[in-house]
Amino acid sequence: MSSKAFNPFVMAQAQFDKAADFLNLDEGTRELLRNPMREYHFNIPVRMDDGKVKVFRGFRVQHNDARGPGKGGIRFHPHETIDTVRALSMWMTWKCAVVDIPLGGSKGGVVCDPHNLSAREQEQICRGWVRQLARNIGPETDVPAPDVMTNAQHMLWMLDEYEAIYGKKMPGLITGKPVGLGGSLGRTEATGFGVIYTVREALKDMGIKPEDTTASVQGFGNVAQYAIRLYNQIGGKVVCASCWDQNDQTSYSFRRKTGVDPDALITITDRFGGIDKSKAAEMGYEILPGEAWLEQEVDILVPAAIENQITGENAGKMKKSVRIIAEGANGPTTPEADKVISERGIFLIPDFLANAGGVTCSYFEQVQSNMNYFWEKDEVLGKLDLKMTSAFQAVSELARKRKLYMRDAAYMISISRVAQACKDRGWV
Ligand code: GLU
């Protein structure tokens, strides 16, 4: 599905440039914001289970910290590139700004495939990543978190290494920690739930009842699973989900007209979101090609996997019934597809707004950690809903007033906030 030439950083800069033009941003601020402030590239040597040493490539990119310490996840992915991490760090800056939390934007990555690594090898990668960066990250400088193929266990190994280096407990280093070890209740649900809080608001504004709608979701990882659960809870019906199949090295879509049941599907899903096809067929799912999720006769599409999925090539395959696209993933839509979406009048909830629930909950985790007092799950999710709802309303109001595409409106709000912080600090 992804074209080889796709470069997420070029795409992130093109999106930025468009919004910077709308804002009439001055040259200096533009130059500062269209590139990361700092980046680190390094090797992580690991002694593998077979006794041989393998060297993994690691990155951390700090795009902008004018509004607060850098914030953003660490991805483990075999095709990770520095330009992907650059783009993702930039999107983190806009994400934290759009929900108005006092954090900047960073992202990290390791070129590796956890499918083929033992737990011990993954632990060594985590510890090695922290050893390379211990002087450049920290509770007051740059705070990592989970992302694609990393989870609470990885975060705890990283924290443990960092605390061993500094000889003291510093839970503020990292978020997405296990509950009971400094983690926040609701963090696992936060990104997927956040996507649906924005979908719920969009439907409300359009005068559509959730129970009259259906959706198709790309992915069945953490974001997709919780998005499906909450959307079902508010009365909608997800009829299709998809996943990456590690054995076949391709993706598949799973369609069931009576609705996707995430609780049943999870029992036949591996730890990376791969669904067992024959068991799914027994449960009544049709197994379709990976791209079929996009071609369903539904009201709402939720790309919740990775970048570069709705493109100029396949955007024409979306059915006329589609009224909303909510981007659970980072960067799933290319600028060519944006053109198609906006011309067709589909209401887009852009990635750094729709999926900001994760980082917002990370911020709550830090607040709770600092107080050393942890909230009940309902309190966390209630506060998350408030933040997501007010961010959504601010963006959609601007889009309505100025007749803007939602992505451009979100960019304008975020960029103005970050540019103002840079100006107030005397940087530009
Ligand atoms: N990795 C998540 C994201 O892309 C969360 C980042 C965080 O919690 O810092 O938004």
Side-chain angles (χ1 to χ4, degrees):
M1 209 179 286
S2 339
S3 79
K4 283 228 164 54
F6 175 72
N7 182 327
F9 188 47
V10 171
M11 173 169 129
Q13 287 189 319
Q15 293 171 341
F16 169 81
D17 290 341
K18 189 174 171 206
D21 286 345
F22 278 132
L23 285 167
N24 261 327
L25 214 61
D26 64 90
E27 267 316 304
T29 310
R30 226 179 250 246
E31 193 56 28
L32 180 70
L33 296 184
R34 76 193 300 282
N35 291 296
M37 298 194 73
R38 283 175 292 278
E39 52 185 57
Y40 305 94
H41 304 213
F42 45 90
N43 284 342
I44 308 170
V46 169
R47 188 163 303 278
M48 306 298 280
D49 292 348
D50 65 5
K52 293 197 185 112
V53 171
K54 195 167 167 185
V55 179
F56 294 90
R57 196 74 183 142
F59 308 112
R60 184 74 179 169
V61 177
Q62 297 168 347
H63 171 259
N64 188 282
D65 55 10
R67 287 174 46 88
K71 189 82 195 77
I74 304 166
R75 311 201 323 165
F76 282 1
H77 201 280
H79 304 135
E80 196 65 295
T81 66
I82 186 63
D83 275 342
T84 310
V85 183
R86 284 178 180 138
L88 289 161
S89 73
M90 197 168 176
W91 287 326
M92 284 309 305
T93 304
W94 315 136
K95 197 180 296 192
C96 294
V98 83
V99 283
D100 207 7
I101 54 179
L103 294 164
S106 289
K107 204 81 176 195
V110 178
V111 185
C112 71
D113 188 352
H115 292 94
N116 309 322
L117 296 167
S118 70
R120 193 201 65 84
E121 289 166 343
Q122 292 184 47
E123 177 178 349
Q124 291 314 308
I125 293 178
C126 289
R127 292 186 184 277
W129 194 91
V130 167
R131 282 199 295 275
Q132 292 301 324
L133 278 174
R135 277 150 217 86
N136 312 108
I137 55 172
E140 279 143 8
T141 47
D142 181 9
V143 182
D147 202 276
V148 171
M149 288 202 268
T150 56
N151 57 35
Q153 174 65 79
H154 297 103
M155 299 306 110
L156 192 61
W157 285 325
M158 289 181 166
L159 176 65
D160 188 68
E161 188 68 25
Y162 189 83
E163 291 180 339
I165 292 169
Y166 286 97
K168 56 180 172 181
K169 297 295 166 203
M170 297 171 84
L173 167 75
I174 212 156
T175 61
K177 297 180 290 291
V179 172
L181 282 163
S184 173
L185 289 167
R187 178 65 183 84
T188 318
E189 293 88 339
T191 313
F193 276 20
V195 173
I196 302 306
Y197 295 146
T198 64
V199 167
R200 182 198 62 205
E201 292 305 302
L203 287 171
K204 212 185 284 170
D205 288 353
M206 293 162 107
I208 305 169
K209 289 198 188 91
E211 51 270 35
D212 296 335
T213 66
T214 54
S216 178
V217 176
Q218 184 189 32
F220 196 61
N222 178 256
V223 180
Q225 285 169 26
Y226 285 98
I228 297 172
R229 281 200 183 100
L230 188 61
Y231 176 67
N232 284 346
Q233 260 174 45
I234 66 170
K237 185 164 75 174
V238 174
V239 292
C240 190
S242 80
C243 76
W244 175 252
D245 188 301
Q246 177 66 11
N247 297 324
D248 299 355
Q249 288 291 300
T250 186
S251 54
Y252 294 100
S253 298
F254 297 76
R255 180 172 66 186
R256 197 167 71 164
K257 289 269 159 65
T258 53
V260 169
D261 174 359
D263 296 322
L265 271 190
I266 196 77
T267 64
I268 58 164
T269 300
D270 68 27
R271 65 199 162 107
F272 302 107
I275 301 168
D276 185 316
K277 296 194 287 301
S278 54
K279 289 191 181 140
E282 281 166 27
M283 289 178 176
Y285 290 88
E286 292 168 76
I287 319 296
L288 304 169
E291 221 176 284
W293 75 275
L294 185 79
E295 300 161 19
Q296 300 305 309
E297 191 90 37
V298 290
D299 306 281
I300 302 165
L301 291 175
V302 183
I306 52 170
E307 58 280 352
N308 191 27
Q309 299 301 302
I310 308 181
T311 65
E313 279 148 45
N314 66 13
K317 293 184 182 165
M318 290 185 293
K319 291 278 186 303
K320 288 221 167 60
S321 58
V322 175
R323 285 185 277 182
I324 296 175
I325 298 175
E327 298 182 323
N330 293 310
T333 308
T334 66
E336 296 74 38
D338 268 334
K339 242 180 239 146
V340 177
I341 295 166
S342 115
E343 273 162 24
R344 279 178 52 176
I346 298 173
F347 187 80
L348 176 100
I349 313 176
D351 50 4
F352 65 82
L353 169 63
N355 71 31
V359 76
T360 303
C361 195
S362 280
Y363 163 63
F364 294 155
E365 181 176 328
Q366 286 186 306
V367 172
Q368 295 169 81
S369 245
N370 290 343
M371 293 189 295
N372 201 15
Y373 173 72
F374 288 82
W375 309 332
E376 296 301 325
K377 193 191 255 185
D378 283 354
E379 188 171 355
V380 176
L381 294 176
K383 287 183 158 72
L384 181 66
D385 194 346
L386 281 177
K387 268 275 182 214
M388 294 298 296
T389 299
S390 67
F392 174 88
Q393 291 303 349
V395 174
S396 72
E397 198 184 305
L398 179 67
R400 233 183 350 256
K401 265 199 199 138
R402 305 262 313 258
K403 295 195 173 26
L404 291 166
Y405 187 48
M406 278 286 281
R407 190 182 314 283
D408 298 329
Y411 262 104
M412 284 173 71
I413 289 179
S414 291
I415 294 174
S416 329
R417 286 180 182 161
V418 178
Q420 189 63 45
C422 295
K423 190 160 184 259
D424 291 347
R425 283 177 182 275
W427 293 355
V428 286

Coordinates of all heavy atoms in Angstrom, one line a residue, residues 20-55:
A20 N 1.5 27.8 7.4 CA 2.4 29.0 7.7 C 2.0 30.1 6.7 O 2.0 31.3 7.1 CB 3.8 28.6 7.6
D21 N 1.6 29.8 5.5 CA 1.2 30.8 4.5 C -0.1 31.4 5.0 O -0.3 32.7 5.0 CB 0.9 30.1 3.1 CG 2.3 29.8 2.4 OD1 3.3 30.3 2.9 OD2 2.2 29.0 1.5
F22 N -1.1 30.6 5.4 CA -2.4 31.1 5.9 C -2.1 32.1 7.1 O -2.8 33.1 7.2 CB -3.2 30.0 6.5 CG -4.0 29.2 5.5 CD1 -4.0 27.8 5.5 CD2 -4.8 29.9 4.6 CE1 -4.7 27.1 4.6 CE2 -5.6 29.2 3.7 CZ -5.5 27.8 3.7
L23 N -1.1 31.8 7.9 CA -0.8 32.6 9.1 C 0.1 33.8 8.8 O 0.4 34.6 9.7 CB -0.2 31.7 10.2 CG -1.1 30.8 10.9 CD1 -0.3 29.8 11.7 CD2 -2.0 31.5 11.9
N24 N 0.6 33.9 7.6 CA 1.6 34.9 7.2 C 2.8 34.9 8.2 O 3.3 35.9 8.6 CB 1.0 36.3 7.3 CG 0.6 36.7 6.0 OD1 1.3 36.4 5.0 ND2 -0.5 37.5 5.9
L25 N 3.3 33.7 8.5 CA 4.4 33.6 9.5 C 5.6 34.2 8.9 O 6.0 34.0 7.8 CB 4.5 32.1 9.7 CG 5.0 31.6 11.1 CD1 3.9 32.1 12.1 CD2 5.1 30.1 11.2
D26 N 6.4 34.9 9.8 CA 7.6 35.5 9.3 C 8.7 34.4 9.0 O 8.6 33.3 9.5 CB 8.2 36.5 10.3 CG 8.5 35.8 11.6 OD1 9.7 35.4 11.7 OD2 7.6 35.6 12.5
E27 N 9.7 34.8 8.2 CA 10.7 33.8 7.7 C 11.4 33.1 8.8 O 11.6 31.9 8.8 CB 11.7 34.6 6.8 CG 11.4 34.5 5.4 CD 10.9 33.2 4.8 OE1 11.7 32.2 5.0 OE2 9.8 33.1 4.3
G28 N 11.9 33.9 9.9 CA 12.7 33.3 11.0 C 11.9 32.2 11.7 O 12.4 31.1 12.0
T29 N 10.6 32.5 12.0 CA 9.8 31.5 12.8 C 9.5 30.3 11.9 O 9.6 29.2 12.4 CB 8.4 32.2 13.2 OG1 8.7 33.4 13.8 CG2 7.6 31.3 14.1
R30 N 9.3 30.6 10.6 CA 9.1 29.5 9.7 C 10.3 28.5 9.6 O 10.2 27.3 9.7 CB 8.9 30.1 8.3 CG 7.8 29.5 7.5 CD 7.8 30.3 6.2 NE 6.7 31.2 6.1 CZ 5.7 31.0 5.2 NH1 5.7 30.1 4.4 NH2 4.7 31.9 5.2
E31 N 11.5 29.1 9.5 CA 12.7 28.3 9.5 C 12.9 27.5 10.7 O 13.3 26.4 10.7 CB 13.9 29.3 9.3 CG 15.2 28.8 8.9 CD 15.1 27.9 7.6 OE1 14.3 28.2 6.8 OE2 15.9 27.0 7.5
L32 N 12.6 28.2 11.9 CA 12.7 27.5 13.2 C 11.8 26.3 13.3 O 12.2 25.2 13.7 CB 12.5 28.5 14.3 CG 12.6 27.9 15.7 CD1 14.1 27.6 16.0 CD2 12.1 28.9 16.8
L33 N 10.5 26.5 12.9 CA 9.5 25.5 13.1 C 9.4 24.4 12.1 O 8.9 23.3 12.4 CB 8.1 26.2 13.3 CG 8.0 27.1 14.5 CD1 6.6 27.6 14.6 CD2 8.3 26.4 15.8
R34 N 10.0 24.6 10.9 CA 9.9 23.6 9.9 C 11.0 22.5 10.0 O 11.0 21.5 9.3 CB 9.7 24.1 8.5 CG 10.9 24.7 7.8 CD 10.5 25.5 6.6 NE 9.8 24.7 5.6 CZ 10.3 23.8 4.7 NH1 11.6 23.6 4.7 NH2 9.6 23.1 3.8
N35 N 11.9 22.7 11.0 CA 13.0 21.7 11.2 C 13.1 21.4 12.7 O 12.8 22.3 13.5 CB 14.3 22.3 10.7 CG 14.3 22.4 9.2 OD1 14.3 21.4 8.5 ND2 14.4 23.6 8.7
P36 N 13.6 20.2 13.1 CA 13.8 19.9 14.5 C 14.9 20.8 15.1 O 15.8 21.1 14.4 CB 14.2 18.5 14.5 CG 13.9 17.9 13.1 CD 13.9 19.1 12.2
M37 N 14.7 21.1 16.4 CA 15.8 21.8 17.1 C 17.1 21.0 17.3 O 18.2 21.4 17.1 CB 15.3 22.3 18.4 CG 14.1 23.3 18.3 SD 13.8 24.2 19.8 CE 15.1 25.3 19.8
R38 N 16.8 19.7 17.7 CA 18.0 18.8 17.9 C 17.6 17.4 17.5 O 16.4 17.0 17.6 CB 18.3 18.7 19.4 CG 19.0 19.9 20.0 CD 19.1 19.7 21.5 NE 17.8 19.8 22.2 CZ 17.2 21.0 22.5 NH1 17.7 22.1 22.2 NH2 16.0 21.0 23.0
E39 N 18.7 16.6 17.1 CA 18.4 15.2 16.9 C 19.6 14.4 17.3 O 20.7 14.8 17.1 CB 17.9 14.9 15.5 CG 18.7 15.5 14.4 CD 18.0 15.2 13.0 OE1 16.8 15.6 12.9 OE2 18.6 14.6 12.2
Y40 N 19.4 13.2 17.7 CA 20.4 12.2 18.1 C 20.3 10.9 17.3 O 19.2 10.4 17.2 CB 20.3 11.9 19.6 CG 20.3 13.2 20.5 CD1 19.2 13.8 20.9 CD2 21.5 13.8 20.8 CE1 19.2 14.9 21.6 CE2 21.6 14.9 21.6 CZ 20.4 15.5 22.0 OH 20.4 16.7 22.7
H41 N 21.4 10.5 16.8 CA 21.5 9.2 16.0 C 22.5 8.4 16.7 O 23.6 8.9 17.0 CB 21.9 9.5 14.6 CG 21.1 10.4 13.8 ND1 20.9 10.3 12.4 CD2 20.5 11.6 14.1 CE1 20.2 11.3 12.0 NE2 19.9 12.1 13.0
F42 N 22.3 7.1 17.0 CA 23.3 6.4 17.7 C 23.1 4.9 17.4 O 22.1 4.4 16.9 CB 23.2 6.7 19.2 CG 21.8 6.7 19.7 CD1 21.2 5.5 20.2 CD2 21.0 7.8 19.7 CE1 19.9 5.5 20.7 CE2 19.7 7.8 20.2 CZ 19.2 6.6 20.7
N43 N 24.1 4.1 17.8 CA 24.1 2.7 17.7 C 23.8 2.1 19.1 O 24.3 2.6 20.1 CB 25.5 2.2 17.3 CG 25.7 2.4 15.8 OD1 24.8 2.6 15.1 ND2 27.0 2.3 15.4
I44 N 23.1 1.0 19.1 CA 22.8 0.2 20.3 C 23.3 -1.2 20.1 O 22.7 -2.0 19.5 CB 21.3 0.2 20.6 CG1 20.7 1.6 20.6 CG2 21.1 -0.5 22.0 CD1 19.2 1.6 20.7
P45 N 24.5 -1.5 20.7 CA 25.0 -2.9 20.5 C 24.3 -3.8 21.5 O 24.2 -3.5 22.7 CB 26.5 -2.8 20.8 CG 26.7 -1.5 21.6 CD 25.5 -0.7 21.4
V46 N 23.8 -4.9 21.1 CA 23.1 -5.9 22.0 C 23.7 -7.3 21.8 O 23.8 -7.8 20.6 CB 21.6 -5.9 21.6 CG1 20.9 -7.0 22.4 CG2 21.0 -4.5 22.0
R47 N 24.0 -7.9 22.9 CA 24.4 -9.4 22.8 C 23.1 -10.2 22.7 O 22.3 -10.2 23.6 CB 25.2 -9.8 23.9 CG 25.8 -11.2 23.7 CD 26.9 -11.6 24.6 NE 28.1 -10.7 24.5 CZ 29.0 -10.7 23.5 NH1 29.0 -11.6 22.6 NH2 30.0 -9.9 23.6
M48 N 22.9 -10.8 21.5 CA 21.7 -11.6 21.3 C 21.7 -12.9 22.0 O 22.7 -13.4 22.5 CB 21.5 -11.8 19.7 CG 21.6 -10.5 18.9 SD 20.3 -9.3 19.4 CE 18.9 -10.0 18.4
D49 N 20.5 -13.6 22.0 CA 20.4 -14.8 22.7 C 21.4 -15.9 22.1 O 21.8 -16.8 22.8 CB 19.0 -15.4 22.6 CG 18.0 -14.5 23.5 OD1 18.6 -13.6 24.2 OD2 16.8 -14.6 23.3
D50 N 21.7 -15.8 20.9 CA 22.7 -16.8 20.3 C 24.1 -16.4 20.6 O 25.0 -17.1 20.0 CB 22.4 -16.9 18.8 CG 22.8 -15.6 18.0 OD1 23.3 -14.7 18.6 OD2 22.5 -15.6 16.8
G51 N 24.4 -15.4 21.4 CA 25.8 -15.1 21.8 C 26.4 -14.0 20.9 O 27.4 -13.5 21.2
K52 N 25.8 -13.8 19.7 CA 26.4 -12.8 18.8 C 26.0 -11.4 19.1 O 24.9 -11.2 19.6 CB 26.0 -13.1 17.3 CG 26.6 -14.4 16.8 CD 26.5 -14.4 15.3 CE 26.9 -15.8 14.7 NZ 25.8 -16.5 14.2
V53 N 26.8 -10.4 18.8 CA 26.4 -9.0 19.0 C 25.7 -8.5 17.7 O 26.3 -8.6 16.6 CB 27.6 -8.1 19.4 CG1 27.2 -6.6 19.4 CG2 28.2 -8.5 20.7
K54 N 24.6 -7.8 18.0 CA 23.9 -7.2 16.8 C 23.8 -5.7 17.2 O 23.5 -5.3 18.3 CB 22.5 -7.8 16.7 CG 21.9 -7.5 15.3 CD 20.7 -8.4 15.1 CE 20.0 -7.7 13.9 NZ 18.8 -8.3 13.5
V55 N 24.0 -4.8 16.2 CA 23.9 -3.4 16.4 C 22.7 -2.8 15.8 O 22.4 -3.0 14.7 CB 25.2 -2.7 15.8 CG1 25.1 -1.2 16.1 CG2 26.5 -3.3 16.4

